[in-house]
Amino acid sequence: MKDNFSTHSDQYAKYRPTYPPELFSFLYENVPAKHCAWDCGTGNGQVAIELSKTFHQVFATDISQQQIDNAIQAPNIFYSVQPAEKTNFAHNQFDLIVVAQAIHWFNFQQFFEEVRRTAKNNALLCVVGYDLLRINPPIDNLIADFYHNVIGQYWDKERKYVDEKYQTIPFPFDELPAPPFTIELDWTMEHLVGYLNTWSAVKHFIKQNHYNPVDALQTTIAEHWQRGAVKRVQFPLLLRVGCIRK
């Protein structure tokens, strides 16, 4: 698994969007038990902290020690640095496994084998992520042009799975129909810029070209965003939920 997120992991924790409570309510309505959950690819722990409010134990893993160091803490969350495809967890341990904005980096076959090994019978696997953000048409068009034409060639090849809305990821489980969910947040332009700077393609661009392309985008967006104003930002969720039968 590639590690694109150890650098400036504190910024990742500060600026990445959080998932809506409706998503967790949907999962809790369908999960068979609420004893033990695994947040795989936890990043800053934003999913782990939500799971910890309902599950007795939450195990959260990431390949980045820096992400773990900046993760949200709770007494019943147990963080560890481990790859998704090979862990030290017991057989038949988890009632729920969640992968948030991370599965496109995994070796699918090896990860799914680990899911089957560590999940209980009838446990749930939730694969979730978010699409390109939406604010309003003028700003959306600027961000889309930046995404595709300015930094497009700097995205890792795995990004295609996000662009394809996770629908082309293999999913060898009994899939549950899921309603559409959207992350809705109120951001200043400064928060938007902070978020854009967490994009892996931006980091790759800076490394190769020695300047930050977000600076020019910020100047253009400022023409449509009054200083200090707060705007509603929406991220449509990408979601696959499956039942693991043994």
Side-chain angles (χ1 to χ4, degrees):
M1 181 178 172
K2 296 179 181 178
D3 181 5
N4 286 329
F5 304 103
S6 287
T7 305
H8 304 300
S9 53
D10 57 331
Q11 299 302 299
Y12 184 94
K14 182 176 181 180
Y15 292 116
R16 283 294 175 114
T18 55
Y19 293 92
E22 294 82 9
L23 169 65
F24 296 97
S25 296
F26 170 74
L27 294 177
Y28 300 156
E29 289 169 1
N30 288 279
V31 75
K34 300 179 179 68
H35 176 70
C36 195
W38 175 18
D39 177 20
C40 182
T42 187
N44 63 358
Q46 59 170 262
V47 169
I49 193 66
E50 289 301 321
L51 297 176
S52 73
K53 300 172 184 177
T54 298
F55 282 79
H56 295 296
Q57 293 181 316
V58 176
F59 293 84
T61 61
D62 204 281
I63 61 167
S64 169
Q65 182 67 59
Q66 289 84 354
Q67 287 280 11
I68 295 292
D69 290 343
N70 284 280
I72 308 165
Q73 301 294 316
N76 60 333
I77 301 177
F78 305 93
Y79 288 102
S80 61
V81 178
Q82 299 192 69
E85 299 86 353
K86 187 174 177 60
T87 69
N88 60 13
F89 298 132
H91 288 67
N92 306 311
Q93 183 171 348
F94 298 113
D95 304 294
L96 173 66
I97 299 172
V98 179
V99 187
Q101 198 71 3
I103 196 170
H104 49 286
W105 302 112
F106 296 176
N107 179 300
F108 300 138
Q109 180 178 349
Q110 293 177 13
F111 173 62
F112 291 146
E113 290 174 359
E114 192 69 349
V115 166
R116 290 190 183 93
R117 185 186 71 81
T118 59
K120 298 175 184 177
N121 187 37
N122 294 322
L124 289 189
L125 170 65
C126 171
V127 172
V128 64
Y130 41 84
D131 206 349
L132 198 61
L133 73 164
R134 300 171 185 171
I135 302 174
N136 59 41
I139 295 175
D140 295 351
N141 290 336
L142 291 172
I143 292 175
D145 178 70
F146 178 80
Y147 180 92
H148 294 289
N149 299 321
V150 178
I151 62 170
Q153 64 179 305
Y154 297 92
W155 288 108
D156 294 272
K157 60 182 176 59
E158 294 88 349
R159 181 71 188 186
K160 71 173 187 173
Y161 294 112
V162 177
D163 293 334
E164 293 163 355
K165 305 184 189 306
Y166 280 179
Q167 294 305 301
T168 56
I169 287 178
F171 202 73
F173 305 98
D174 293 342
E175 192 157 4
L176 279 63
F181 296 103
T182 301
I183 301 170
E184 297 195 5
L185 304 164
D186 293 317
W187 279 2
T188 62
M189 189 171 71
E190 288 71 24
H191 197 118
L192 171 65
V193 169
Y195 165 69
L196 295 173
N197 277 309
T198 68
W199 283 2
S200 58
V202 169
K203 297 176 185 178
H204 295 329
F205 184 105
I206 293 171
K207 184 176 181 179
Q208 183 166 328
N209 297 286
H210 311 293
Y211 72 93
N212 190 341
V214 174
D215 295 342
L217 177 62
Q218 179 178 0
T219 300
T220 310
I221 290 177
E223 299 173 8
H224 305 275
W225 199 317
Q226 185 178 358
R227 181 181 294 274
V230 173
K231 292 187 182 295
R232 176 56 56 98
V233 178
Q234 297 181 318
F235 292 83
L237 285 197
L238 319 175
L239 184 62
R240 309 285 297 273
V241 179
C243 185
I244 303 157
R245 312 284 189 193
K246 294 194 174 185

